[in-house]
Amino acid sequence: MSKASVAVIGSGLMGRGIGLAFAIGGHDVVMVDLDLGLLTKSLEQINSILEVMQEAGLTSESSDRITSRISLEPNSEKAVSNSDFVVEAIFENLDLKRETFRKLDAASKTDTILASNTSSLPITSIASETLHPERVVGTHFWNPPHLMPAVEVVYGEKTNDATVSETVSILRAIGKKPAVVRKDVPGQIGIRILYSMIREATHLVEAGVASPEDVDTIVKEALGTRLEVLGPLELADLSGVDLVSNVAKGLYKTLDDSVEPQKIIKDMVANGQLGIKSGKGFYDWKTGSKNADQVLKRRDAHLIKILKERRKNSE
Ligand SMILES: NC(=O)c1ccc[n+]([C@@H]2O[C@H](COP(=O)([O-])OP(=O)(O)OC[C@H]3O[C@@H](n4cnc5c(N)ncnc54)[C@H](O)[C@@H]3O)[C@@H](O)[C@H]2O)c1
């Protein structure tokens, strides 16, 4: 699929970045959402993202050329009828996704790949109403999808190898780093590891071992700075598997093993402390030194710097 027709169903936070990533990669992209008003807003947001990417030198073509490959279509069945690759990024609701895939399956060519960007729902269930579940696959992009390199490519129980290998190659060709998830487990790879970390970090705060600031400092300044170069299993090899075994023997039984959100989290939710969206979570986002816009800008600037360095090193 050197130049595929791509359809993105759902043009919200993730869909617009996914569409943009394919358009920058040279593909024609049709963006779908519930109505033209939402689609026009998404296109405006794509234009502002592109402006930042251009300024940073992350795109070689002009914004106009890139956006000329993007079209808007509120009717999903019409949009997918001529598409080779479809990525669904609608709300995280199983019934809605199942029904959407039933429609996409009926409206598309039988060799079109149908991918879901779900973070937590089983691909097998999403594909359950389709006549061709072998061409349904998970493509879990990370936020922001136009900047984050990794995409998890997830097998459902009936997904065939050809679908996964085609998906891996189209993603590689647009500069992504796909990782194959061979079993349809909840949370795939990244979300499982992230939530193991959130569970333990919450436990450390709840047990009074450290403040949120100090927990985050250690994750960012000790673990994070190294993790870009060495994953946890590379680190295990580097430390020595015998050492890992000895540490695990003593430590694992002391780690948090909650099977539901801890009391501190439940209380925060009950009190409306929802994080950035309510102005207070583990941190104060209204009057404290933290500012949501600044944090997001810093995140994007950091990701842009990494991408630029990687490109420079591969030249
Ligand atoms: N937000 C994240 O950080 C993140 C990260 C990875 C994966 N995901 C997954 O990506 C998917 C989308 O998440 P999001 O954060 O972009 O959500 P969002 O709410 O920002 O966007 C969803 C969009 O889908 C549209 N939509 C809903 N039903 C539709 C339909 N039937 N047809 C066409 N469009 C429809 C909505 O109007 C909305 O614009 C979810 O499955 C989510 O779990 C999200």
Side-chain angles (χ1 to χ4, degrees):
M1 277 195 225
S2 56
K3 193 170 186 301
S5 287
V6 176
V8 179
I9 316 298
S11 303
L13 179 70
M14 296 302 290
R16 54 183 173 254
I18 294 170
L20 176 58
F22 278 105
I24 291 174
H27 299 289
D28 288 327
V29 177
V30 50
M31 307 281 307
V32 178
D33 210 297
L34 297 172
D35 61 50
L36 259 180
L38 288 167
L39 282 166
T40 310
K41 267 197 202 135
S42 277
L43 192 57
E44 280 165 17
Q45 269 144 349
I46 285 178
N47 278 315
S48 0
I49 298 171
L50 256 177
E51 223 173 273
V52 176
M53 291 181 80
Q54 294 253 274
E55 263 173 39
L58 282 178
T59 50
S60 49
E61 285 183 300
S62 71
S63 297
D64 285 351
R65 273 201 76 150
I66 293 168
T67 46
S68 72
R69 290 194 283 272
I70 299 178
S71 57
L72 310 178
E73 172 55 67
N75 181 326
S76 59
E77 277 136 316
K78 201 166 155 203
V80 301
S81 60
N82 280 316
S83 297
D84 307 304
F85 195 84
V86 178
V87 185
E88 166 276 316
I90 64 172
F91 302 136
E92 187 77 344
N93 173 303
L94 182 56
D95 287 342
L96 186 63
K97 288 202 195 268
R98 215 186 254 146
E99 174 59 12
T100 300
F101 271 75
R102 189 190 62 72
K103 281 193 196 153
L104 298 178
D105 181 58
S108 55
K109 302 176 282 175
T110 51
D111 58 351
T112 299
I113 291 179
L114 304 179
S116 173
N117 191 51
T118 180
S119 337
S120 62
L121 302 170
I123 299 303
T124 310
S125 308
I126 290 174
S128 62
E129 306 265 308
T130 64
L131 294 177
H132 298 284
E134 69 281 357
R135 43 101 170 230
V136 178
V137 67
T139 48
H140 182 239
F141 286 77
W142 285 71
N143 183 33
H146 50 283
L147 297 178
M148 291 288 275
V151 183
E152 285 152 300
V153 178
V154 188
Y155 272 90
E157 276 167 21
K158 298 196 172 149
T159 313
N160 66 21
D161 294 340
T163 299
V164 168
S165 65
E166 282 256 15
T167 302
V168 164
S169 44
I170 192 170
L171 290 169
R172 277 210 185 110
I174 62 166
K176 296 294 177 195
K177 300 243 179 213
V180 174
V181 185
R182 296 197 200 109
K183 291 188 178 171
D184 199 3
V185 293
Q188 299 136 5
I189 302 170
I191 297 288
R192 290 182 81 87
I193 294 178
L194 175 65
Y195 271 78
S196 310
M197 191 162 70
I198 291 179
R199 180 167 67 177
E200 188 56 34
T202 304
H203 167 70
L204 290 171
V205 171
E206 187 167 45
V209 176
S211 65
E213 288 84 353
D214 286 338
V215 169
D216 279 347
T217 295
I218 292 302
V219 174
K220 289 187 292 186
E221 304 298 332
L223 306 179
T225 44
R226 220 169 41 177
L227 278 175
E228 202 205 322
V229 184
L230 289 168
L233 302 178
E234 287 170 322
L235 276 170
D237 275 357
L238 210 71
S239 309
V241 179
D242 50 339
L243 175 66
V244 169
S245 170
N246 282 337
V247 173
K249 264 183 216 152
L251 188 65
Y252 280 5
K253 49 181 171 285
T254 75
L255 296 179
D256 190 60
D257 61 355
S258 304
V259 293
E260 56 179 286
Q262 295 104 327
K263 182 171 181 310
I264 186 176
I265 296 272
K266 284 186 181 160
D267 287 350
M268 283 164 74
V269 173
N271 294 330
Q273 290 180 23
L274 306 181
I276 287 182
K277 66 176 126 175
S278 71
K280 190 162 168 47
F282 283 101
Y283 296 96
D284 186 345
W285 294 89
K286 271 195 290 218
T287 53
S289 57
K290 295 218 172 265
N291 174 302
D293 285 342
Q294 270 172 20
V295 169
L296 290 179
K297 270 194 189 137
R298 250 204 341 262
R299 176 200 68 184
D300 287 357
H302 176 71
L303 292 172
I304 285 170
K305 192 171 135 227
I306 291 175
L307 286 182
K308 282 173 80 174
E309 269 169 20
R310 286 188 182 177
R311 285 197 193 165
K312 208 168 134 207
N313 293 339
S314 67
E315 273 166 12

